[in-house]
Amino acid sequence: MNKWDQRYLALAKEVSTWSKDPSTQVGAVTVGSKKEVLSQGFNGFPRGINDSDERYNNRDIKYQLVVHAEMNAIYNATYSGTSLDGATLYVYGLPICSECAKGIIQVGIKKVVVEKSKELDNWNESVQLSQKMFDEAGVELIINPKN
């Protein structure tokens, strides 16, 4: 992993702190071929949805409402009319679930760099499917162990 990958992972880590989720903070940053930041995202509720502590502390409600950081980065790029075709996605916090992998592949992101801050055993099947989809679609996946 090069110094730019480290820098963008550090930026994704900073973005993760913007999440109001008391149990898990995930941040994502998309970067273009000229090292320009294209978008960012963190795990949280959609725009206009009340993100109260009560909702975040109710696991069932939280899981129904939360948008993952990776998808928020994609949605934010779309919101501003920015193409992510050929971009790199940097994610800090958790591995990529299969639902996010679908979106990543679909918008043309070609490289994903992940630094996990924790493991979730109940996500293993989804994460394995993500890796298989990335391999088949030609998306490079780099997992940086927690420092």
Side-chain angles (χ1 to χ4, degrees):
M1 189 156 357
N2 65 43
K3 70 178 180 180
W4 285 103
D5 289 338
Q6 294 291 345
R7 289 173 177 167
Y8 291 124
L9 278 176
L11 183 55
K13 183 176 182 178
E14 175 63 27
V15 170
S16 77
T17 67
W18 303 348
S19 172
K20 291 186 177 181
D21 187 332
S23 63
T24 305
Q25 281 80 39
V26 181
V29 175
T30 60
V31 177
S33 62
K34 295 176 181 66
K35 296 184 175 61
E36 75 278 23
V37 173
L38 300 172
S39 68
Q40 55 72 29
F42 52 89
N43 58 310
F45 296 167
R47 288 179 183 89
I49 301 301
N50 181 8
D51 58 354
S52 66
D53 289 343
E54 180 182 334
R55 283 181 161 181
Y56 273 114
N57 289 314
N58 181 319
R59 199 176 186 120
D60 291 336
I61 291 174
K62 177 175 80 170
Y63 287 163
Q64 289 174 344
L65 296 176
V66 77
V67 179
H68 291 182
E70 302 91 328
M71 293 309 297
N72 258 332
I74 290 169
Y75 296 147
N76 286 335
T78 302
Y79 196 73
S80 65
T82 301
S83 172
L84 298 179
D85 191 31
T88 298
L89 173 67
Y90 294 88
V91 180
Y92 174 85
L94 289 174
I96 310 289
C97 75
S98 60
E99 287 300 312
C100 288
K102 293 177 203 177
I104 290 165
I105 293 164
Q106 200 67 0
V107 299
I109 291 171
K110 293 299 181 198
K111 180 179 172 185
V112 178
V113 181
V114 178
E115 183 170 312
K116 299 180 289 186
S117 66
K118 63 176 161 178
E119 296 286 341
L120 291 179
D121 290 336
N122 58 337
W123 280 37
N124 283 342
E125 191 175 312
S126 182
V127 170
Q128 289 171 359
L129 178 56
S130 297
Q131 291 175 327
K132 288 177 185 175
M133 287 192 294
F134 286 156
D135 287 345
E136 189 172 331
V139 176
E140 180 183 3
L141 176 62
I142 298 171
I143 300 174
N144 187 40
K146 184 181 176 191
N147 295 332

